[in-house]
Each structure stands twice: as structure tokens, then as C-alpha cells.
Amino acid sequence: MRTGEPLPAVGEVLVALATGLWHWDTATGLVTVDAEAARLLGLPRQETVLTEAQTRARLHPVDWNEITGVIQLAVAEDTLAEVRIRIMDDRGRVVRVVRSRSKPSFDPVKKAYELIGTLQEVTEPAPGTPAGRTAVTGDWRRSREAFLLDAGRALAEARSTEEVLRVAAGLSMPGFSPDGLAVFGVTGDRLTIIGHHGQEPGDEGPFAQMSIHTDYPAAEVVRTGRAVYLSSPEKYKERYPLTWPLASHFGRQSWAFLPLTVAGRTMGAWMAGFAYPVAFTPDERSVLTTVARMLAQALTRAGAAETQRELTDGLQRSMLPTLGPEIPGMTLAARYIPTGGGLQVGGDWYDMIPLPSGGFALVIGDVQGHDVRAAGLMGQLRIALRAYAAEGHRPDAVLSRASGFFHGINHADDGEDPDLRFATCLYIEVDPVTGVLETARAGHLDPAIRMADGTVLVRATAGGLPLGIDPDADYPTTRLALEPGEAVLLCTDGLLETGGHDLDTGWRRVRKILEAHEGDLEELADALVQAVHGPSSHHTTGPLSDRREDDIAVLLLCRQGAGGCGPGTEDAAGTTVPIRRPVRRSMLTVAQAEPERIAVARQQLRELLHDWTCADQVDSAVLLVSETLTNVLVHTDADALLVAEVTGAPGERRIRIEVTDTSDDLPHKRRPGELASSGRGLVLIELLADTWGVAPRGEGKSIWFELYEPGEPGEPGEPGDSGGPAGA
């Protein structure tokens, strides 16, 4: 073209550049394309008016949806809308890729969009080339979609503000990734720093408590609700000269400030800073906008969850007691771990109650449910138990009164669909001088005793219905003795069942911890909680992996021995070194009116011998105990006292079982016939015991027998050498 010649018409220039024009009005639903644009769409080369459905049929379905999003974004930010579009043929194959650039507008009266733009064919750059790194290729689209899915999943799983910020800091966007970020909140008319990444501690100082009327990008975003993109330091300095000195020393080249909007309200701003220039194309802006929306929703969820957890923790702390003053000769430790997750307030609790007699009571229980009602009922029940105990009632009376009280408040609001609950409870009255424990149990787990040699036994106790079921329920008591160096464990079922366990597998897990631990009581409490609730629990899940987790309440009471709480000696440095005493003992009384306690004796003996190496010998011992106790109840009018002792080191142990009564009638071995229903007790003892005997007492007698663990050196009475009673 020579100087002075008229410029060619715009249409001629567009035809020369193989660029088409198109016009879209969403109010009419019509798309008008010129001849070149029609050719690019795979239509005859002539000006055409298409419906939206006809136009959509020529485009890739993903691209059509993206056009809508880019147009809305461009209108909101008053920028051009640029997008790459894949053109499809009638067989669904991509025939070309075109680039559309347009200036959209929005009519608030018609609530419709209108845009006029260009279409131009482009070549897909090869991946890995400089052009390929910036172009919106098919691979870029797929990586962006995968990124947004992963980011959305990670942000949705974040449960706290700290986790949300950690996820945001780790986001690696396809083709461009920020090296620094900051999340701003709003308190009154001031910006607050919720969190930041990529800056040194203290760098956030000048930006904290900044007025939202300051000439600063984040403040403008909060005021207007519109994003701010600064692709170079020059643009930052030109637009925000007053606050540029605050940002200049970070050495970044591009910045994006986006609103954090939830339910139409701007709750803050997100800053993403880049160490290299970023053009912020419409596709890049689309990614940033989507991440900002997800980030705002995640922060809102996390904030609500943290508020609920704070409320829950405060409620639980107000309901859980302190363990009170130090008790001479006794050591106490307690732990409570809530289920967590929103308002999952549990009904588990524990308590220590001073008694008028000078002793104290330990209480542990669990109200059905994990909600606010369960927590409220638990608080009322705990207060009632303290009141009844302070009046000086015995354990059975305390639980009976508590059951009537709980039944009353449970039925106070009977309606068409009453929310009735029950509660389990274990109440133990402790005499710190003698170590005697008076227990009453309402449907709760039995206590477990950790003996002086480290053996752990479940102590079967008499019990009744859970509280609140029967207002007139009775609760029998059981007396236990806590010897020096022994400890008693009280817990709720969450300690056993957490991690997918049932009561049996969970108890075996807890027993191993109790028997192996050699620290003090506080360390033991921590070990119990850590083993079932900490990271290691994920590697020891039980058979019920889908079981819901439960609250955990633990109470430990130890009667101090010569070496403190648990047996021990001090070395030259004064450190307590645990030792194991060689004696393991269990005692039980069976009255004439209580023949059912023979079953308790069998269970208690199996507990005592839970780690005995020969299962046949355990069965033999249980059978002989049952025979000797039954003989006392059948052939005398006296009660029976069972004493079982295990001595020696593992692999060399012996068990001695002695049954004593006050009758002077000595047993005699008989030879019963085949059809006789009795008379085989001493015959069985002679066949199964390694040695046995009958010993007269000052008043009454005792029948005893011993079994030796396999592997003991040959001594009189080794299995097979029993020739008759010893000491008869």
C-alpha cells in the first residue's frame, strides 16, 4: 500500500486475515455469523443466522460450557473474553481449533448477554514448546479439569482453617503456580491476615489491620467484590502507588487478588503472587476464580466447624471434673477424648466424689447418644450422683436413686415420639486406708485390675440394668481388694471398640498395653489413649472396620506400694526401676445361697491363667475348681473360700488352688459306679492335678491342688508322678 492511499475496509482486512465475525444475543437466542465465520464452523461460506442449538452442535460440548463461564467472568471484570474452541464435524471429530475474542455486555433489564467477536483458526502448538506452555490445548484443558477436581476434593476434606491454608499453599496449577499466597479476612472495616505462605514470619505486619479504604488491591477487592489482576510491577506501581513500596521488596512479577465470596457476601480476599510474569488470560483467570470460590467455601466450613468444636470442648470441659486433692497412698489419672466432628458432644463422663466417711467414690458412665441432649442428660445425672453420694448412701442406694432420677427426667417430656435414653454407670466407693473397693454396676463394663506382677484381670462384679430403664431397679454390690502396687482400670466402651474392634478383640489389645507398660500412671493413661486413638491405631484396626468411633473415658486408680505406684526399686541414680513380683493371686467367696458364683469363679480362674502355655491344664484347673466348690456347697452347710496363686517365671510357673470351708468333715475318695451322678471329685483331682492334698485348719479344712506349667524341671509331683494326696 502506497502512502496516501485509502485504508481498506475492515471486512477486506478480516477476509485477508481469514478472520470471521459473529454476533450472539442471548435474549433472542440467535447467533449471526459472516461468510468466513460460517466457513470456520464447517458451514457453507455465506452469512448465516443460527439458533443456539445449531451453534452448539458445531462446537465441542466442553467448550460451549466454557464460553458461558468466560463471558460471565469478562463481564464481571470488564475485560475481553478470549477462548479456544474445538469445531466438530457431523461425525463428532475435531476438524479445527479456532480462537474467539469478543467484548460481551450484560443488559440488566433483559437479563441477557450480547457480544460481538471474531473467530480465527489457530494451530495447536506442540506440547513442551514455549507456545505450548501458554496455549489452551486439549491437554491443558484436561490437566486443568483434573487439577480443579483434586483441589476441590482436598479443600472439601480440610477440617480446620490451618488445613485449608496448607492445601491452598500446596496447589500447583497447570502451567502457572504461585510462589506466595495470603488470605485476608475482614473484621469491621479492617483487613485481617487469616494466613499466608511463601513469606517470612512477620512480613504480614504492615498489611494486618489495614483499613479497607486503603489504596491496596486486597482492600479494593473486599470493597468492590471484583478481582484485581496485576501482570507486572509497572502496572502495580501505576495503579497502587501508595502501597507499592510495601509489596516491592517481595520481588514478585505478577499478582492476582480475588474475592472470597460465599452466598453473595465477600468475606475476604485471596492473594496469589508469582515470581515470573503471568498474562492472566481468560483461562488462567477462570482457574483462579474457581479456586477462590472453593477456597471461600472451605474456609467458611472450617470456621463453622472450629466454632462448633470450641463450643463442644467448652461444654465438655465445664462438665468434666478435676480429680481433686492428692490422696495419701493413692494415685489417680483420667483421660477423656471426644469423638470430634461438629457438635458430636458425647455422653461419656467420669467423676471423683469426696465422701462423708473420709473415703471417695469413682464414677464412670456413658449416656446413650452423641448429641447435645446426651451431654445435657449426662450433666444432670452427674450432679444427681454427686448429691446422693454426698448424703452418705451406699453404692447400691446411690445407683438405685440415680436410676429413678434419670427415668424421671427421661420421661418428663413424653410426646408422640419421645427421645428416651439410658445410661450405663460403674460406681466404686474407695477406702484409701485398706484398699477395699465397694462396687455397684449399672450395665457398664466390669473393672480391670492390674496386679503387682503386671497381670491384668477383669473382675466380675454383680450388676443391674442401665440407669433410666427401671425406676425401681436394684443394684447389688461387690467387694474387691486393691493390694499395694495394684491398679484398677475403669473405662467406657470407646476405649475397647475404637479402631473397628468389638469388646473381645478390643480388650485383648488393651490388656497387652496394660501388662507391657512400666511407667507411671499418667504415662499409662497416655499410652492407652495413644494406642487406640493415635496414629498407631490405623495399623491395628479390628474386624469391624466400619464401626463408628466413640468417645473415650478412662479412669486409673493405683494403690501405691513400696516402689510407688506399681512395684519398683531405685537404682544408684534414684530412678525407679520396675520389677515384677512372682506371685499372682485371686480370691473369691462362694456362699451357700450363691451357687451361681461358681461360674464367676471359673471365669476368674481363666482370667488368672490367660497367658498359661497349656490350654489343657487351664481346662483341668477350671474343672477341678468347679468340682471342689460344688462339693463344699453340696456336702456341707458352710461357705467356700477360693484362693488361687500363680508363682514362678513364665515357663516355670505353678498354680496352687485352695478351697477352704468351716466344716470339719474330711473328704473321702470313693469309687462310683458307671451310672453314679456324684463321687468323682477326688478321683478327678488325683488324675488331673500334679499334686494335691487336704489340710485341716483350726476350724474347718482346705482342699488344695497344684498344676505345673510344662517345662518345669523334674520335681515331686511332676505330671504323671502323682501317687496320692500330700498332707492328708
Side-chain angles (χ1 to χ4, degrees):
M1 178 182 296
R2 295 184 178 89
T3 303
E5 291 186 358
L7 294 174
V10 174
E12 296 177 2
V13 174
L14 293 177
V15 170
L17 297 176
T19 301
L21 288 175
W22 69 301
H23 172 266
W24 180 20
D25 187 350
T26 61
T28 61
L30 298 178
V31 179
T32 302
V33 296
D34 65 3
E36 181 63 21
R39 183 191 70 80
L40 293 174
L41 291 177
L43 300 171
R45 191 166 186 167
Q46 60 186 16
E47 184 173 328
T48 308
V49 177
L50 305 171
T51 65
E52 288 183 356
Q54 291 172 327
T55 307
R56 182 183 299 183
R58 313 302 302 178
L59 310 183
H60 193 285
V62 173
D63 298 345
W64 176 263
N65 295 332
E66 185 170 335
I67 290 173
T68 304
V70 170
I71 289 173
Q72 293 174 352
L73 181 64
V75 169
E77 298 180 357
D78 193 23
T79 59
L80 292 176
E82 181 176 349
V83 62
R84 289 174 182 258
I85 307 170
R86 288 165 288 184
I87 308 300
M88 314 291 291
D89 61 13
D90 295 334
R91 300 175 61 180
R93 297 175 300 181
V94 177
V95 295
R96 65 177 54 88
V97 178
V98 300
R99 180 178 61 188
S100 169
R101 290 173 61 88
S102 62
K103 177 62 175 178
S105 61
F106 178 73
D107 188 338
V109 177
K110 297 180 180 179
K111 295 185 178 179
Y113 291 92
E114 183 179 5
L115 68 153
I116 299 175
T118 61
L119 290 178
Q120 186 176 36
E121 185 171 3
V122 296
T123 303
E124 288 277 76
T129 64
R133 285 194 291 271
T134 58
V136 187
T137 64
D139 290 340
W140 193 94
R141 297 175 190 273
R142 286 188 290 273
S143 65
R144 183 188 64 182
E145 292 163 3
F147 160 75
L148 291 176
L149 285 174
D150 292 341
R153 186 181 302 111
L155 288 170
E157 293 174 352
R159 291 192 168 190
S160 66
T161 300
E162 183 180 355
E163 289 183 20
V164 171
L165 295 174
R166 187 162 55 247
V167 171
L171 294 178
S172 179
M173 302 180 191
F176 68 112
S177 296
D179 75 321
L181 64 84
V183 177
F184 298 88
V186 182
T187 302
D189 63 347
R190 298 284 175 176
L191 291 178
T192 60
I193 306 295
I194 298 177
H196 64 91
H197 173 75
Q199 292 78 228
E200 295 295 328
D203 284 348
E204 74 279 6
F207 305 93
Q209 299 301 315
M210 180 182 287
S211 172
I212 61 173
H213 302 291
T214 306
D215 185 28
Y216 179 64
E220 179 179 325
V221 168
V222 171
R223 291 196 310 270
T224 64
R226 300 176 65 173
V228 172
Y229 298 99
L230 304 169
S231 57
S232 68
E234 291 74 23
K235 288 188 176 181
Y236 196 128
K237 184 177 180 180
E238 176 185 355
R239 188 167 176 180
Y240 302 98
L242 293 180
T243 54
W244 164 246
L246 298 178
S248 60
H249 77 277
F250 290 105
R252 296 199 171 95
Q253 299 299 309
S254 300
W255 300 260
F257 292 83
L258 297 104
L260 299 175
T261 306
V262 177
R265 182 179 66 87
T266 301
M267 54 171 285
W270 172 45
M271 185 279 289
F274 300 85
Y276 51 88
V278 178
F280 296 118
T281 65
D283 290 287
E284 292 169 341
R285 296 186 183 194
S286 177
V287 171
L288 289 168
T289 301
T290 303
V291 172
R293 290 172 182 167
M294 294 189 297
L295 182 59
Q297 294 172 357
L299 287 171
T300 300
R301 287 193 302 268
E306 287 170 345
T307 301
Q308 291 177 337
R309 281 196 292 271
E310 185 177 351
L311 173 62
T312 300
D313 293 342
L315 181 61
Q316 287 288 0
R317 282 193 299 268
S318 67
M319 291 183 173
L320 291 177
T322 59
L323 293 182
E326 187 173 324
I327 303 166
M330 294 283 183
T331 304
L332 271 169
R335 296 291 184 273
Y336 174 75
I337 307 297
T339 303
L343 281 177
Q344 293 294 308
V345 184
D348 292 20
W349 88 97
Y350 64 83
D351 205 351
M352 172 188 168
I353 308 171
L355 300 177
S357 62
F360 62 93
L362 296 180
V363 188
I364 195 166
D366 183 1
V367 177
Q368 179 190 9
H370 299 85
D371 52 19
V372 175
R373 175 168 169 77
L377 290 173
M378 177 267 284
Q380 296 178 73
L381 181 57
R382 174 174 164 254
I383 293 172
L385 284 164
R386 291 185 70 90
Y388 296 138
E391 291 175 353
H393 297 294
R394 286 179 48 80
D396 54 341
V398 170
L399 289 192
S400 294
R401 285 167 167 76
S403 184
F405 169 81
F406 197 65
H407 184 274
I409 61 174
N410 225 352
H411 292 76
D413 298 322
D414 282 354
E416 295 182 359
D417 188 20
D419 184 13
L420 301 181
R421 308 290 181 97
F422 63 83
T424 64
C425 182
L426 177 61
Y427 182 98
I428 299 181
E429 185 177 311
V430 182
D431 185 340
V433 177
T434 63
V436 172
L437 312 178
E438 286 281 351
T439 70
R441 187 169 57 86
H444 201 78
L445 299 174
D446 283 308
I449 302 292
R450 184 174 184 261
M451 304 178 73
D453 71 333
T455 303
V456 178
L457 306 177
V458 174
R459 289 300 195 189
T461 58
L465 293 172
L467 304 178
I469 294 179
D470 181 2
D472 301 316
D474 292 327
Y475 296 94
T477 60
T478 303
R479 176 171 292 185
L480 303 174
L482 198 63
E483 299 293 335
E486 293 184 343
V488 60
L489 165 70
L490 288 66
C491 67
T492 56
D493 54 3
L495 182 69
L496 305 184
E497 295 179 341
T498 294
H501 288 268
D502 55 27
L503 291 177
D504 289 336
T505 61
W507 168 241
R508 287 197 291 270
R509 175 181 59 172
V510 169
R511 169 182 261 162
K512 291 179 181 178
I513 300 165
L514 289 168
E515 292 188 337
H517 188 77
E518 295 186 340
D520 61 23
L521 214 60
E522 291 291 338
E523 293 172 347
L524 177 57
D526 290 336
L528 287 170
V529 171
Q530 176 68 16
V532 303
H533 202 268
S536 61
S537 65
H538 299 296
H539 306 288
T540 58
T541 54
L544 307 175
S545 58
D546 59 343
R547 180 186 290 277
R548 177 181 175 174
E549 302 298 276
D550 201 356
D551 298 342
I552 298 174
V554 178
L555 259 179
L556 289 165
L557 171 68
C558 179
R559 187 180 182 193
Q560 296 175 355
C565 188
T569 59
E570 290 190 354
D571 59 14
T575 303
T576 299
V577 180
I579 61 172
R580 296 299 190 199
R581 296 183 180 178
V583 178
R584 182 189 303 180
R585 180 182 296 108
S586 179
M587 300 176 63
L588 181 70
T589 299
V590 180
Q592 284 285 334
E594 299 176 317
E596 67 276 4
R597 284 180 63 80
I598 295 178
V600 177
R602 291 195 291 264
Q603 177 188 354
Q604 196 162 304
L605 185 60
R606 286 194 181 276
E607 283 285 322
L608 192 72
L609 299 176
H610 71 275
D611 56 350
W612 197 264
T613 57
C614 180
D616 289 341
Q617 285 188 321
V618 175
D619 293 337
S620 297
V622 171
L623 173 62
L624 297 184
V625 162
S626 184
E627 284 289 333
T628 51
L629 290 175
T630 302
N631 284 343
V632 172
L633 299 188
V634 170
H635 299 293
T636 73
D637 296 328
D639 299 336
L641 172 64
L642 169 66
V643 178
E645 287 186 352
V646 177
T647 57
E652 301 177 350
R653 293 176 295 186
R654 68 173 66 194
I655 178 170
R656 179 183 176 93
I657 297 175
E658 190 169 346
V659 176
T660 303
D661 63 77
T662 57
S663 173
D664 293 327
D665 296 332
L666 298 178
H668 300 281
K669 186 167 67 174
R670 293 184 286 174
R671 300 188 180 276
E674 293 182 359
L675 301 180
S677 59
S678 63
R680 297 184 176 86
L682 292 184
V683 175
L684 289 173
I685 291 176
E686 186 174 56
L687 288 173
L688 299 176
D690 294 331
T691 183
W692 65 281
V694 179
R697 302 298 185 192
E699 180 180 354
K701 63 182 182 302
S702 68
I703 303 175
W704 61 270
F705 62 88
E706 293 182 355
L707 294 172
Y708 304 147
E709 199 170 18
E712 183 176 2
E715 292 180 359
E718 188 174 5
D721 294 341
S722 178

